Amino acid sequence: MIGKRIRHLKRYQEIVSVLVKYGFGYIVKEVGLFHLLSLPKQIVSDFNGTGNDQKTLGKRIRLMLEELGPTFIKLGQLLSLRTDILPEQIAEAMRDLQERVTPVDIQTIDQIVCRELGAPVSEIFAQFDEQCIAAASIAQAHHAVLKTGEEVAVKIQRPNIDAIVENDIEILWDLASLVDKRYEWARTYQILDLVEEFSLAIRSELEYTIEARTTEKLFAFFKTDERVIIPKVYQDYSTAKILTLDFINGYKYNDLIQNCPADIDKKTICERLVHSFLDQALICGIFHGDPHPGNLLFFSGNRIGYIDFGQVGHLSEPMKRDFGDLIIGLMRGNTNLLLRTISSMAVMPDDLNERQFKTDLDMLRENYYRLPFKKVHIGAVIHDIFSVTKKHRIHIPKNYTLLGKALITLEGLITGLDHECNILEFAEPYGHRLLIRRLDPEELSKKILMNGYDIFENSIRLPGLLRKTLMHLNSGKTRVEMKLPQLEFLLAKVDRAANRISFSIMLLSLSIILACIILGETFGSRSLLSNVPVLSIAITIVLFMFMLVLLSIFRSGRF
């Protein structure tokens, strides 16, 4: 960690200064990064947290992340999904994060294209607009025309953004480790796991070959559906840092709100939004993770276009089933089904109070049992579920939180278009459809065969595993792991107490030695050493030893 701080010293100083600026100086001091501040800031800054107004906490965190740049903006966007661990007020503030960036000049863009595609812009494209059509902290997009005549959108990564992100990720790991050691809440909410999740997500977003594959899968999935438009990927003009797709230009969401075209029906659009999204999530298993107005386009004939698949979620077959069971359990008032489903889809803490958890689920169920679909808001349902899981420190996997956030965004879009429309009313047929699929003889036989195969495989492996276990027991190689969460805390207290006792003994010893030397000098007889400054030498040696012990105690950080 020390090596990282030296290597990224300037960036560390920037981050620490911004933390102090927005009222988080007490964290800087408590985790041991106080020395990275300049002397004037050390003098004038507040390190007690006395200026912390909880009402403005979310806003201050948002402004801080915006000032820290692209990596931290992306971190904020991830945190906005985690209402299972963050207070809603802070998560809501994270959703207002804005990327204020200056577009990269055309000369730099030309250099990137030449390096990635092997030729300058003028040789590859028949036309390439110098003015970008969209600019963000990670990339910007330009309209272009291929030599073969197709209109395309070219998404180009900003120069050196991958190096900037990697440096910031290293620093985030260091900061997260320091906070994890210092604060109980950081361990409770598994902040290190959160940083790991974020690292994987942003590295994936920087790799355009992954986005290209995802877009191609959804393009193939909706190829025969005329109601949904997914842009085609041009692989010959795409690399890890450049993504070239069909340029689709339709009505924007605000066009429908302000002056809806005559060839578009809002209610039909709402229904198709819900159906197309559920098709992605519950049938295809890949869904758009951020269906906000900027990533949607609308066309005559009530067609919908999705763009920008940098943030996507994935649902496996068991995850699809669990999500369906969650909604069914709420609507049918089945607490046991809710308990089983959440246990299956989430990571439960070892010390879970199952009785209290079931009581909370009963209360949650009562809020929605026998309630008509048109009166149920998906945002409220998801918020209530996350509130219960957060209370019991249950960890919800990223893809579920991403799905929840996407559904909340979708509900907001639908409400904005037509107040009478309800997302669950449109989704109800999917519930019946999923139920019919589960009861389909072919599906049931597949499941029975797979379960039978697993049982058969495990029964074959069981004797070997049992023999191996018995051999380990017989040879004494078996390890027993004990998880004692409070042990480290108790050891730290014992260590601190021992250091204080050592300090006291040193003070007492110093006093006794000095007293003996003074008495000896005062009342003792003269000798050959009478002319040697024994008192001064002795005091110097004792003080030197005393300072060595004292320094080692303080360096341990446990005094």
Side-chain angles (χ1 to χ4, degrees), residues 438-490:
R438 288 186 195 180
L439 297 175
D440 181 56
E442 187 177 344
E443 288 292 322
L444 285 172
S445 61
K446 283 182 183 177
K447 193 178 293 186
I448 291 169
L449 281 171
M450 288 303 297
N451 287 338
Y453 180 74
D454 286 342
I455 292 170
F456 178 70
E457 280 290 307
N458 289 330
S459 63
I460 291 175
R461 292 173 60 198
L462 188 60
L465 289 171
L466 185 60
R467 183 169 59 252
K468 189 176 179 180
T469 303
L470 290 172
M471 286 174 66
H472 279 297
L473 283 170
N474 188 50
S475 61
K477 293 180 181 179
T478 305
R479 292 187 306 167
V480 178
E481 290 189 9
M482 296 181 67
K483 191 174 181 181
L484 300 173
Q486 299 300 321
L487 183 60
E488 187 177 345
F489 176 73
L490 291 172

Side-chain angles (χ1 to χ4, degrees), residues 317-335:
E317 286 300 324
M319 293 174 81
K320 295 178 197 175
R321 185 177 63 250
D322 287 341
F323 183 74
D325 284 344
L326 194 65
I327 303 300
I328 292 168
L330 279 172
M331 297 308 165
R332 291 186 175 177
N334 190 331
T335 305

Side-chain angles (χ1 to χ4, degrees), residues 201-268:
I202 195 168
R203 283 171 178 148
S204 174
E205 193 169 339
L206 285 168
E207 183 62 55
Y208 284 169
T209 51
I210 296 174
E211 184 178 344
R213 285 198 299 270
T214 302
T215 308
E216 285 185 321
K217 285 178 184 176
L218 286 167
F219 176 81
F221 180 77
F222 285 111
K223 194 171 185 178
T224 57
D225 190 341
E226 295 181 353
R227 300 167 299 177
V228 180
I229 299 172
I230 305 292
K232 175 186 173 183
V233 177
Y234 292 86
Q235 287 287 4
D236 291 342
Y237 301 90
S238 300
T239 68
K241 297 183 184 298
I242 293 179
L243 182 60
T244 304
L245 313 106
D246 266 331
F247 179 77
I248 58 174
N249 189 21
Y251 297 112
K252 298 189 185 306
Y253 180 78
N254 284 338
D255 297 332
L256 274 62
I257 296 291
Q258 294 167 4
N259 188 19
C260 187
D263 55 353
I264 285 183
D265 178 66
K266 289 184 181 179
K267 186 169 183 178
T268 305

Side-chain angles (χ1 to χ4, degrees), residues 21 32 52 70 75 122 128 132 223 276 278 308 319 351 423 501 507 512:
K21 175 182 175 180
N52 268 354
L75 176 62
S122 58
F128 191 92
C132 68
K223 194 171 185 178
S276 62
L278 292 177
D308 192 358
M319 293 174 81
D351 58 348
I423 193 170
I501 291 169
L507 280 177
I512 293 171

Side-chain angles (χ1 to χ4, degrees), residues 58-120:
K59 182 181 178 182
R60 287 189 289 111
I61 293 174
R62 175 175 61 80
L63 292 172
M64 178 184 71
L65 295 175
E66 286 177 357
E67 188 168 332
L68 286 173
T71 311
F72 291 84
I73 289 172
K74 292 294 180 186
L75 176 62
Q77 290 170 350
L78 172 69
L79 290 174
S80 71
L81 310 177
R82 301 309 302 267
T83 49
D84 58 317
I85 59 173
L86 281 184
E88 178 59 31
Q89 182 184 4
I90 296 176
E92 183 65 34
M94 297 300 100
R95 293 177 195 128
D96 295 330
L97 276 166
Q98 296 178 5
E99 298 179 278
R100 302 180 181 90
V101 295
T102 304
V104 177
D105 60 85
I106 191 62
Q107 289 77 23
T108 306
I109 291 295
D110 191 50
Q111 289 172 8
I112 296 170
V113 170
C114 192
R115 185 176 66 247
E116 290 294 316
L117 299 179

